[in-house]
Amino acid sequence: MKGESESSKKTFLDFSIEEMIKKYRLKKKTRLREQHISGAKSPAKQNETDKMLLQADVPLSSRQFMLLRLMTGLVLGVIGFLPASKSGNASLTLLIPLAFMICGMLIPLKLVQAKINKKIQSYRDDLPDMMDLLVVSVEAGLGFDASLLRLYEKDKSPLMQEMIRGIQDVQRGMSKKEAYSNISARCNVKELTSFLNALIQAEQMGISIKSVLRVQSDNLREARRQRAEEKAL
């Protein structure tokens, strides 16, 4: 009897511990999911440097980027100091390393900005074509998300990657409004922001997605024509 009682206690304790472990893992999983959805992925909650790094797709925090700039500045400062120290001129010994250091700190910033400008131009160039293909797919009977996924199979451009990332955010539990706002913040393209805002308003007001796509496609085509005329002048 005593052996059976101990065995019963042991079983009960094992069961309680297992339940506690399961509850802890579930709480941890839920907390990480909430942080993933509402925290780190939201560009609106980041400072300007973090937003810039996000737009350039540079996997660094603002603090890490500042350390990189400081290190680049120090390295170039030392490189500038070596020949300047041999000149025998006190002013040159001070000014040349300082100029090199400033250049060194500016180089990473300029490279990131150049990458952002290149991506923005890519988004702007690809958007009208993406819109035309979406119009065709939706009018053929596909849903908006299904049309994007179908286009992504043939075109894995940076713009399509951002749109698919938005779909994935929604699938993880983020609202469409927040997911589209994050795409807009990451891409920083006026025409794309206008399109995404129109999608949000269409969903809120129950407007057909076909008509929204058609209007946006016409607007983008007109904007592209105007840019071409401006370049020709």
Side-chain angles (χ1 to χ4, degrees), residues 26-40:
L26 181 61
K27 285 181 180 178
K28 185 177 179 182
K29 208 176 279 186
T30 304
R31 186 171 65 251
L32 289 172
R33 183 171 175 271
E34 289 173 350
Q35 289 174 352
H36 176 74
I37 292 172
S38 62

Side-chain angles (χ1 to χ4, degrees), residues 8-9 12 19 37 39 41 50-51 62 65 80 82 110 123 139 145 149 166 194 203 210:
S8 173
K9 280 183 180 180
F12 176 74
E19 284 296 309
I37 292 172
K41 287 259 181 185
D50 283 325
K51 288 180 182 179
S62 55
F65 184 63
L82 294 176
K110 294 298 182 183
Y123 296 144
E139 289 184 346
D145 290 355
L149 290 169
S194 176
E203 184 176 3
K210 291 181 184 180

Side-chain angles (χ1 to χ4, degrees), residues 126-143:
D126 292 342
L127 186 57
D129 293 333
M130 183 194 78
M131 194 69 62
D132 289 340
L133 292 171
L134 280 175
V135 170
V136 173
S137 297
V138 171
E139 289 184 346
L142 285 177

Side-chain angles (χ1 to χ4, degrees), residues 7 29 53-54 58 67 83 89 91 102 104 164 168 187 196 215 223:
S7 176
K29 208 176 279 186
L53 295 172
L54 183 65
V58 175
L67 287 174
N89 187 316
S91 298
I102 293 172
I164 295 301
Q168 292 171 342
C187 296
L196 294 171
V215 170

Side-chain angles (χ1 to χ4, degrees), residues 117-177:
N117 292 335
K118 185 178 179 180
K119 290 186 76 172
I120 287 175
Q121 189 59 48
S122 171
Y123 296 144
R124 190 168 279 127
D125 291 342
D126 292 342
L127 186 57
D129 293 333
M130 183 194 78
M131 194 69 62
D132 289 340
L133 292 171
L134 280 175
V135 170
V136 173
S137 297
V138 171
E139 289 184 346
L142 285 177
F144 179 71
D145 290 355
S147 298
L148 279 175
L149 290 169
R150 186 174 180 180
L151 292 179
Y152 182 68
E153 292 176 359
K154 300 177 181 179
D155 176 20
K156 291 181 172 56
S157 64
L159 176 60
M160 288 305 305
Q161 290 176 15
E162 287 294 343
M163 297 301 295
I164 295 301
R165 183 175 173 181
I167 291 177
Q168 292 171 342
D169 285 342
V170 173
Q171 290 173 344
R172 294 188 188 104
M174 186 181 291
S175 68
K176 281 191 176 181
K177 183 177 181 180

Side-chain angles (χ1 to χ4, degrees), residues 198-199 201-212:
L199 288 179
Q201 291 174 1
E203 184 176 3
Q204 292 173 342
M205 300 174 67
I207 301 172
S208 170
I209 196 72
K210 291 181 184 180
S211 59
V212 173

